[in-house]
Amino acid sequence: MTIDAIVIDSVGKTFDSAGVTALEDIELSIAAGEFVALIGPSGCGKSTLLRIIADLEKPSSGSVTVFGKSPRQARLDQDYGIAFQQAGLLDWRTVRANIELPLELHDVAKAERKARSTHLLELVGLSDFADRFPTELSGGMQQRVAIARALARTPALLLMDEPFGALDEMTRERMQKDLLRIVEETSAAVVFVTHSIPEAVYLSDRVVVMSARPGRVANILEMDTDSGDGADRRESRAFFESVTAVRESLYGRMPG
Ligand code: ADP
Ligand code: MG
């Protein structure tokens, strides 16, 4: 039996200062290597839940483990990579130096850092841009650098909060496809927050639908991941059926 990537047990979160209950009684386990999307109305606590997993926020009640450890320990061990909506790159470092940053912080030797960043640059299709600076790249390319950086230490878990939210539709679809290939190659589990139903359906093994404040798990839907990939999958009947199922779970059944 392999250990779960994340176990969330009766987690609640209240922001006392604002008098806001953001999360209530969240129960959710994410298996090693599993891709789970979180979707729900704005303000339902998706980012808060991700921040609790990443030890950037403490739960008010309940508990979370990451690979069987406390979130704090998992953070110290750098068990996960994080990519949020803003790429958050350091403008004064080259693309390669941005990708190598987590390795530098972990005292990885220079030659090994270089070999690793070379591989990651290839993985995200940016080999020709290693020596450029972030401001010289498009938004999609910057986001790919952020993903490469998140993968630098080969984390078994990726936490992603609307990472493609700022991208145009074509770039976004290409990034989704790349992400699936990358997580397949690295066997990483992913928790992926998104507003987009098709994005959630395309990427995920399971889609977790959350309800409006206080955020709760309203529904968990299993996706059909066997219907090919790329454009084929997006145009399959199973894909449309899943999109409809998620939409109805979010908004209730549409009339007519
Ligand atoms: P989502 O990501 O689903 O849009 P968030 O997790 O960002 O939602 O926020 C959930 C709720 O908690 C919102 O009502 C938000 O205003 C509130 N909230 C989030 N962070 C804080 C904070 N640091 N202090 C007070 N309220 C917060
Ligand atoms: Mg959010």
Side-chain angles (χ1 to χ4, degrees):
M1 205 192 82
T2 51
I3 199 159
D4 277 330
I6 301 173
V7 178
I8 300 166
D9 186 16
S10 321
V11 160
K13 176 69 183 178
T14 302
F15 292 103
D16 289 326
S17 53
V20 172
T21 300
L23 296 168
E24 205 168 82
D25 203 23
I26 304 288
E27 291 277 341
L28 183 65
S29 294
I30 293 154
E34 189 182 22
F35 201 122
V36 170
L38 300 181
I39 196 164
S42 195
C44 76
K46 302 178 296 292
S47 296
T48 300
L49 187 56
L50 213 61
R51 291 172 58 80
I52 287 173
I53 297 166
D55 193 42
L56 299 168
E57 205 78 75
K58 297 264 175 266
S60 308
S61 56
S63 68
V64 176
T65 58
V66 179
F67 297 110
K69 312 173 193 178
S70 68
R72 183 182 139 78
Q73 192 59 50
R75 175 169 58 78
L76 295 175
D77 295 347
Q78 292 193 8
D79 283 339
Y80 49 82
I82 295 182
F84 289 165
Q85 183 165 8
Q86 300 301 326
L89 304 174
L90 303 177
D91 285 342
W92 60 91
R93 297 181 73 127
T94 62
V95 164
R96 184 190 291 279
N98 266 282
I99 294 172
E100 289 186 6
L101 183 61
L103 303 173
E104 268 179 56
L105 295 175
H106 249 249
D107 292 329
V108 175
K110 195 169 174 188
E112 193 184 332
R113 285 204 312 260
K114 175 138 200 221
R116 182 79 190 131
S117 60
T118 297
H119 172 71
L120 288 162
L121 283 161
E122 229 165 81
L123 198 65
V124 298
L126 290 175
S127 299
D128 293 343
F129 296 85
D131 300 322
R132 302 288 195 87
F133 289 88
T135 51
E136 300 176 276
L137 307 184
S138 70
M141 290 158 90
Q142 291 181 17
Q143 207 47 272
R144 278 188 275 161
V145 177
I147 289 170
R149 183 183 56 188
L151 291 167
R153 299 197 63 246
T154 326
L157 174 62
L158 279 173
L159 304 175
M160 308 182 88
D161 195 349
E162 301 186 46
F164 307 150
L167 306 181
D168 66 81
E169 193 63 22
M170 266 169 66
T171 307
R172 190 167 179 152
E173 289 198 0
R174 206 180 53 240
M175 292 289 297
Q176 290 165 0
K177 196 168 181 199
D178 287 350
L179 177 63
L180 279 189
R181 175 177 52 78
I182 290 165
V183 295
E184 196 158 305
E185 281 177 31
T186 61
S187 302
V190 184
V191 186
F192 190 100
V193 171
T194 179
H195 275 118
S196 161
I197 297 173
E199 180 166 85
V201 169
Y202 178 73
L203 292 172
S204 308
D205 298 310
R206 284 189 297 159
V207 174
V208 175
V209 177
M210 293 176 66
S211 62
R213 230 170 61 203
R216 289 168 159 273
V217 174
N219 208 348
I220 300 180
L221 296 105
E222 298 268 347
M223 296 295 110
D224 173 4
T225 51
D226 300 330
S227 42
D229 60 5
D232 294 349
R233 168 120 150 261
R234 290 184 207 275
E235 288 167 10
S236 72
R237 171 178 290 272
F239 183 82
F240 284 113
E241 286 174 358
S242 293
V243 166
T244 304
V246 174
R247 182 179 292 123
E248 288 184 354
S249 183
L250 263 174
Y251 306 124
R253 188 173 282 276
M254 297 290 172

